Amino acid sequence: MHSSPDDDTLPRGVADLSMQTDSEQASPPPSRERRQFLTLSAAAAAGTLTRPGFAQGRDFGQGFVWGAATSSYQIEGAAARAGGGVSVWDTFCKRPGAIRDGSSGEIACDHVNRWRDDVTLMRELGMRAYRFSISWPRVMPDGTGAVNAAGLDFYDRLVDALLAAGIEPWVTLFHWDYPEALHKRGGWLKDDSPDWFAKYTTAVVKRLSDRVRNWMTLNEPEIFVILGYQLALFAPGEKLSWSEVLRISHRVLLAHGLATQAIRATSKQPCQVGCASALQPAMPATEQPADIEAARRATFSGMAAWLMEPMYAGSYPQAELKAWERDVPRFPASDLRTIHQPLDFFAANIYQAATVRAGADNKIEQVPRLPGHPRTLMDVFDVVPGGLYWGPRFYYERYKLPIVITENGTSVPDWVALDGKVHDPQRIDFMQRYLRELARARNDGAQVRGYFAWSLMDNFEWAEGYRQRFGMVHVDFATQRRTPKDSFYWYRDVIRSNGGNL
Ligand code: FCB
């Protein structure tokens, strides 16, 4: 059974995780990786791999990038309120039933007006880095052509304020708020679409690259392509055929490649470029070599592999090419060279992991979660800290790039207590467990350079509206009052001690 492109019942977070579970499996990694795999599995067999919870290895090393993340549509307030254009999310939110609580990002955290106070909070947290995204329609109302000066000015001032606070900006160029004007012209289905993105990228980089050194082209192509264009769960809410979805994916990958070239050509200083993928790595059910190999194969399969492999390895994965043969678009070989740009880090958004084992005939078997497995408020995200061990380990092993966790965090039902504070022990426990696993990955040889908590503050959680609170800062959406949660102070200590309190 291959990934199920036709299954429109997959909830968010599952669509991208579909795995090969039969003989049509991804090609084995090149021999270099094979050798490393043999070493690692020999160590596992000899029982030398550390287990979760061990005190050893909580050392994150010098210069570790401790940060938090947000995105434009989720916090700023609609771009159209300040001379910007309409995004597909503005339109999608108006569709009856699209957003669980009927809300939108029209005001969100009103960050566009309150950014100074928000930077003050960031400084209090002691963040070394802030990952935020630029709203394409705020900068270019029509998606291409004329620039909205007020839009670029906003980011310009934000960057200055961050640097003055000692916080390094990490900028994502596209976190899903696609210009409605371009969508009306055919959007990602159009041949021109990668070029539109590259031009917008150039305008932003021209303005900010004297101060910004860290760039991410896209946020989670896996999610916005599948949920937005196949399942209609996210903007723009389309239900296209699988061949159209694969055409869109290809253009999105080309957009990444062209934007990467544009950043390097335009940047006023040496810079680091990456692309933040939505990943659900697979963990082995045991540390037996066969299970580890099953987990590795599952990690590099399905839609995740479809989007990662061209970017990092320069080709589409064989098994998926075969399984989706009928629907794969025709393209010139040069496209893969454009997509496969050298990148400086591997950016991974990881919230959870699947568990697999090796079955009969070399098949990968998914191990179901036990009843009562710890869950978060967000239905699709279970608590599986091992994802921050096995993910970084497998991705580093295969792509040999420093790993940056660009999102990780949780939604729990917290509120302002009678004492005026927000007590979120579950978030603290969640982050502590995940960060211990990340330290263990580092200890076992994966080069891990940074960690960004999702999120700095509660915000508009897409189709869930305001029902989910992922922030370390509580936001009262009626008054816009910010209240740092207990996790805020705890994370401040993590940063101060460089993970020493984990
Ligand atoms: C990720 C998104 C981010 C946020 C978190 C909870 O998939 O990138 O915007 O919604 O999930």
Side-chain angles (χ1 to χ4, degrees):
M1 189 198 81
H2 60 73
S3 300
S4 41
D6 300 325
D7 182 353
D8 62 6
T9 60
L10 291 173
R12 164 152 196 231
V14 176
D16 59 317
L17 315 171
S18 37
M19 296 178 300
Q20 303 293 136
T21 48
D22 64 0
S23 51
E24 296 173 335
Q25 281 151 356
S27 53
S31 55
R32 207 161 33 138
E33 276 93 358
R34 273 250 162 228
R35 274 202 295 279
Q36 188 173 359
F37 153 65
L38 290 174
T39 327
L40 287 168
S41 37
T48 54
L49 290 174
T50 52
R51 305 206 176 271
F54 268 37
Q56 78 191 77
R58 307 256 168 80
D59 168 20
F60 287 86
Q62 263 200 336
F64 190 80
V65 181
W66 292 104
T70 63
S71 88
S72 46
Y73 190 75
Q74 294 180 277
I75 66 164
E76 288 178 356
R81 290 166 69 228
V86 172
S87 87
V88 291
W89 272 94
D90 294 307
T91 312
F92 184 67
C93 289
K94 295 194 178 122
R95 190 186 282 191
I99 311 298
R100 250 178 112 180
D101 58 5
S103 65
S104 76
E106 177 74 14
I107 307 288
C109 306
D110 195 28
H111 173 72
V112 77
N113 294 311
R114 293 165 197 268
W115 57 275
R116 282 190 190 81
D117 295 344
D118 292 335
V119 173
T120 303
L121 279 169
M122 294 181 215
R123 188 206 290 260
E124 250 176 77
L125 179 57
M127 279 161 57
R128 307 262 163 76
Y130 174 44
R131 174 176 178 238
F132 63 96
S133 78
I134 307 252
S135 156
W136 185 347
R138 185 181 297 286
V139 169
M140 280 188 176
D142 296 327
T144 188
V147 164
N148 165 33
L152 266 185
D153 287 352
F154 166 64
Y155 296 111
D156 198 271
R157 285 193 296 261
L158 176 64
V159 163
D160 281 346
L162 289 170
L163 292 173
I167 300 166
E168 183 87 29
W170 284 57
V171 172
T172 308
L173 287 150
F174 178 62
H175 197 130
W176 306 352
D177 39 2
Y178 194 71
E180 176 76 14
L182 293 183
H183 179 60
K184 285 197 178 130
R185 288 170 66 179
W188 292 113
L189 278 168
K190 281 281 188 236
D191 284 343
D192 287 345
S193 56
D195 200 48
W196 291 334
F197 184 58
K199 291 210 167 92
Y200 147 73
T201 297
T202 301
V204 173
V205 174
K206 221 180 233 168
R207 180 69 178 267
L208 300 180
S209 64
D210 54 336
R211 288 151 292 155
V212 174
R213 293 183 301 184
N214 305 284
W215 301 95
M216 279 146 285
T217 52
L218 311 167
N219 181 68
E220 300 191 347
E222 304 78 6
I223 298 290
F224 80 81
V225 169
I226 298 293
L227 274 71
Y229 296 91
Q230 191 201 3
L231 304 180
L233 294 172
F234 275 12
E238 308 261 315
K239 286 198 176 180
L240 302 181
S241 67
W242 190 238
S243 66
E244 287 169 313
V245 169
L246 293 186
R247 266 166 62 199
I248 286 183
S249 309
H250 191 71
R251 303 247 163 65
V252 165
L253 286 170
L254 279 170
H256 158 79
L258 289 182
T260 304
Q261 289 175 340
I263 297 169
R264 298 213 195 276
T266 314
S267 179
K268 297 183 178 147
Q269 58 176 322
C271 60
Q272 312 269 328
V273 186
C275 174
S277 298
L279 299 169
Q280 174 171 310
M283 313 196 297
T286 73
E287 287 187 0
Q288 291 301 314
D291 286 344
I292 294 180
E293 179 57 4
R296 179 181 287 107
R297 283 190 355 235
T299 296
F300 297 99
S301 71
M303 199 59 190
W306 188 255
L307 290 167
M308 266 191 305
E309 286 284 294
M311 272 195 271
Y312 295 99
S315 57
Y316 279 113
Q318 285 306 318
E320 286 73 12
L321 265 180
K322 199 169 148 225
W324 300 338
E325 205 174 5
R326 261 184 322 143
D327 296 313
V328 175
R330 291 182 181 284
F331 56 85
S334 59
D335 278 9
L336 284 169
R337 288 194 291 278
T338 304
I339 294 167
H340 184 210
Q341 293 298 309
L343 295 175
D344 302 291
F345 57 97
F346 183 89
N349 295 354
I350 300 178
Y351 290 85
Q352 59 167 349
T355 306
V356 302
R357 65 178 159 236
D361 300 333
N362 211 19
K363 285 196 174 138
I364 299 170
E365 285 175 10
Q366 183 144 14
V367 180
R369 304 244 202 271
L370 290 175
H373 185 95
R375 300 175 48 202
T376 73
L377 193 60
M378 185 93 170
D379 274 344
V380 294
F381 294 160
D382 288 337
V383 182
V384 194
L388 276 202
Y389 173 74
W390 291 101
R393 184 172 142 174
F394 286 150
Y395 302 127
Y396 183 67
E397 180 185 294
R398 185 161 178 84
Y399 300 129
K400 306 281 184 301
L401 284 176
I403 309 288
V404 178
I405 303 300
T406 35
E407 283 182 30
N408 171 250
T410 191
S411 166
V412 292
D414 41 32
W415 61 83
V416 183
L418 285 172
D419 63 4
K421 298 181 177 160
V422 181
H423 305 295
D424 57 345
Q426 284 160 314
R427 177 170 293 104
I428 293 174
D429 189 72
F430 179 102
M431 289 174 74
Q432 182 155 11
R433 287 173 187 271
Y434 277 69
L435 279 167
R436 284 181 177 188
E437 290 295 295
L438 187 62
R440 191 162 76 93
R442 197 179 169 277
N443 196 47
D444 285 355
Q447 202 187 322
V448 185
R449 252 187 50 202
Y451 174 89
F452 288 81
W454 183 272
S455 177
L456 173 69
M457 56 185 154
D458 295 338
N459 55 51
F460 175 75
E461 178 46 41
W462 309 113
E464 291 281 310
Y466 296 96
R467 292 171 55 101
Q468 306 287 344
R469 293 184 176 275
F470 273 91
M472 294 179 291
V473 174
H474 180 276
V475 177
D476 177 332
F477 292 102
T479 61
Q480 291 296 343
R481 189 189 159 91
R482 273 71 161 145
T483 310
K485 304 180 189 179
D486 289 353
S487 59
F488 177 96
Y489 298 105
W490 172 83
Y491 189 51
R492 183 189 60 186
D493 293 343
V494 172
I495 298 172
R496 273 187 191 159
S497 63
N498 200 27
N501 66 340
L502 290 168

